[in-house]
Amino acid sequence: MDAFYASAEQAAKPSLRGKPVVVGGLGPRGVVATASYEARRFGVHSAMPMAQARRLAPNAAYLVPRFTLYRTVSEQVMELLGRLSPLVEPLSLDEAFVDLEAGGTADDTASAMEIGEQLRGAIEAVTGLSASVGLAGSKMLAKIASEEAKPDGILLIEPGTERALLAPMSVRILPGVGPATADHLRRAGMTTVNDLAEAGEAELVRLLGKAHGSSLHRMASGYDDRPVVAERDAKSVSVEDTFDTDLHDRVRVRTEVERLADRCVQRLRGAGRSGRTVVLKVRRYDFSTLTRSETLRGPTDDPAVVREAAGRLLEAVDTTGGVRLLGVGVTGLADFTQEDLFAQAAGERTAAEAPAAAGPDADAAADAGGARDEEPAQESPEQLAARRWPAGHDVRHDTYGHGWVQGSGVGRVTVRFEEPESAPGRVRTFRIDDPELRPADPLPLVRNPVDYSSWPARLPKSRSGAVSAGAESRP
């Protein structure tokens, strides 16, 4: 998908079409997730600090991600891809490989191009968004083709032309070559794919080791035999937050950990999974990052169990000086839960509550042991408003209907009232506690999408080929 998050926001908000849009974290430490092509003309790109993006494109629209919408669109796209082949390998919400041979979808380059064009049309008709498609005989080349086709294009790499196509490209185009490896190769005088191919396997093995060197030499020569794997089973589920200012209050840190644990369990249950190892991640004021884990007796999806395990892990972490990031994750995933863990959680809660009924010494114990029952540090009205009314998120007003938040501050929230298929709407401002205004779910990007339930109608016999429909590379 092309500039997926930003394109989805433009499709949902008529007033933003054709204008620079940046999606990501909006706090002082926020990072750009996706920038529209209009914003990229100013130099804004993914993984850039949001503060730098604002300096480059001060007049762009800056929005908080709406993952509920993005997941809905992703499911629509993946369903279309599943009609082409039983072998679909999702890489992210907006990118996947499809094995056309397994689906019997194309038997030569002409039919491969035809099905690629049909796919692009189907995606646009169902979601209202554009996609770029790359077709080739391997995953690596299909991925490269989709990148070269952007935006809103299609490219097929003809069999036999792979080596010539790759030769002048940067070594960074190859899978497994990140900044560190690229710098190592540059110091050895290798900056293009052709340099790698001509260096020979023995030299790359000497520089990078047996496995990496051999793999890189094969790819530099145009060979990639990695199969399309339909089941990319998640190994973990996690959530994390970076805070605008360091958290110093221990009770506030504990509250945030419990909130993250609940969000993690929601995501875990949404995937129909459970897990047995709880992981806590803490990044401190000096950027040092600590991880702690606890393995339970069996897999669970009980929020109380995960909260309490994360809380125990936090007790062993020194947060003196402040915390800038917290994360909670669950690993060791399974498709079932261990029922006695519910009793475990209840027992631990009973034990934790016991001092409260133990008599006069209970208050002294609480004073000595920490402020578990104290009120956490209060957020400012501005922080509360930003949390309740995130920029770009959906709202509904009893009088004016559906809209989205343009911004909030000084006790007010500004809303533009428009829908995906309406004209650009009017802007109105309300008190942040206006009883007629409330958060809402995203509207479909296409109110009456074309029915592709029987697509593709006829599938010719296939001999070879792989297709990649995908997005820009993510860091």
Side-chain angles (χ1 to χ4, degrees):
M1 304 297 290
D2 297 320
F4 182 46
Y5 299 169
S7 295
E9 296 298 346
Q10 289 175 318
K13 301 172 171 65
S15 59
L16 297 184
R17 292 169 192 168
K19 298 179 180 178
V21 173
V22 181
V23 180
L26 301 189
R29 295 170 177 167
V31 173
V32 174
T34 309
S36 70
Y37 287 98
E38 296 85 356
R40 295 180 193 191
R41 297 191 187 106
F42 295 92
V44 180
H45 58 78
S46 62
M48 172 181 286
M50 192 62 76
Q52 182 181 355
R54 288 185 184 276
R55 289 193 295 269
L56 293 172
N59 296 321
Y62 290 87
L63 309 175
V64 176
R66 294 188 297 159
F67 287 104
T68 299
L69 172 64
Y70 310 149
R71 290 191 188 98
T72 298
V73 176
S74 176
E75 289 169 359
Q76 293 174 313
V77 173
M78 297 301 170
E79 198 276 335
L80 289 171
L81 299 182
R83 294 181 177 278
L84 296 179
S85 172
L87 292 182
V88 177
E89 181 178 340
L91 301 182
S92 61
L93 287 176
D94 56 350
E95 184 173 16
F97 290 113
V98 185
D99 188 327
L100 296 181
E101 183 176 26
T105 312
D107 61 356
D108 55 23
T109 56
S111 57
M113 281 292 289
E114 180 182 354
I115 204 67
E117 289 285 14
Q118 288 182 19
L119 174 61
R120 292 177 60 236
I123 289 174
E124 184 172 8
V126 171
T127 70
L129 303 177
S130 68
S132 295
V133 173
L135 301 117
S138 70
K139 289 166 65 171
M140 176 186 73
L141 292 166
K143 166 70 173 174
I144 291 172
S146 72
E147 296 289 339
E148 294 293 310
K150 288 190 171 299
D152 194 20
I154 183 169
L155 177 64
L156 182 143
I157 298 178
E158 293 274 0
T161 68
E162 297 91 347
R163 178 75 181 270
L165 176 81
L166 290 172
M169 293 184 172
S170 166
V171 294
R172 289 293 306 276
I173 200 74
L174 300 179
V177 180
T181 301
D183 187 58
H184 189 53
L185 293 169
R186 180 189 58 78
R187 291 197 300 270
M190 303 177 202
T191 58
T192 68
V193 176
N194 187 61
D195 293 336
L196 300 182
E198 290 189 344
E201 182 176 358
E203 177 64 10
L204 293 180
V205 167
R206 186 186 70 81
L207 287 170
L208 304 173
K210 175 77 175 162
H212 197 186
S214 297
S215 172
L216 207 56
H217 184 260
R218 287 196 303 273
M219 291 184 176
S221 302
Y223 297 109
D224 177 21
D225 58 0
R226 295 174 301 161
V228 175
V229 181
E231 295 297 331
R232 291 175 57 87
D233 199 20
K235 293 182 174 60
S236 65
V237 172
S238 64
V239 295
E240 62 182 43
D241 274 342
T242 300
F243 303 100
D244 294 346
T245 57
D246 291 348
L247 303 185
H248 294 273
D249 184 272
R250 184 74 176 185
V251 178
R252 171 73 189 283
V253 173
R254 172 75 183 228
T255 300
E256 293 296 340
V257 166
E258 292 179 346
R259 182 180 295 137
L260 287 166
D262 287 341
R263 284 172 50 196
C264 183
V265 170
Q266 288 176 1
R267 186 170 295 182
L268 192 68
R269 288 180 168 179
R273 308 300 297 276
S274 61
R276 63 177 300 159
T277 299
V278 178
V279 180
L280 175 71
K281 176 180 177 181
V282 179
R283 180 166 298 149
R284 298 187 293 189
Y285 69 99
D286 58 358
F287 287 90
S288 61
T289 301
L290 304 175
T291 58
R292 299 288 184 268
S293 64
E294 176 182 318
T295 298
L296 306 170
R297 292 199 299 268
T300 183
D301 64 353
D302 180 10
V305 172
V306 177
R307 276 198 306 271
E308 290 161 7
R312 288 193 296 273
L313 294 170
L314 178 64
E315 290 170 2
V317 175
D318 179 11
T319 59
T320 304
V323 172
R324 60 185 292 122
L325 177 147
L326 290 168
V328 174
V330 176
T331 66
L333 301 189
D335 294 322
F336 63 96
T337 59
Q338 191 80 30
E339 294 300 332
D340 65 357
L341 286 174
F342 293 95
Q344 171 187 315
E348 287 166 350
R349 284 194 294 272
T350 300
E353 292 162 1
D361 293 336
D363 290 339
D367 291 340
R372 180 181 296 262
D373 295 327
E374 293 178 12
E375 289 295 322
Q378 293 296 313
E379 293 181 288
S380 70
E382 300 302 309
Q383 291 172 318
L384 288 169
R387 185 187 293 277
R388 184 179 182 189
W389 307 112
H393 279 225
D394 299 84
V395 297
R396 178 162 290 278
H397 192 275
D398 290 344
T399 301
Y400 302 107
H402 191 92
W404 58 276
V405 176
Q406 283 201 325
S408 60
V410 200
R412 298 286 188 271
V413 56
T414 300
V415 178
R416 184 180 290 273
F417 290 97
E418 59 186 4
E419 299 184 7
E421 296 181 349
S422 72
R426 297 186 62 182
V427 175
R428 297 184 181 276
T429 299
F430 308 91
R431 299 193 317 274
I432 60 172
D433 58 353
D434 190 311
E436 293 190 79
L437 188 67
R438 57 190 179 277
D441 293 328
L443 297 176
L445 299 185
V446 179
R447 190 62 55 87
N448 297 300
V450 176
D451 182 8
Y452 272 81
S453 59
S454 60
W455 177 81
R458 299 168 61 185
L459 302 179
K461 184 178 179 181
S462 171
R463 287 200 296 268
S464 64
V467 56
S468 169
E472 290 74 24
S473 297
R474 297 266 189 260

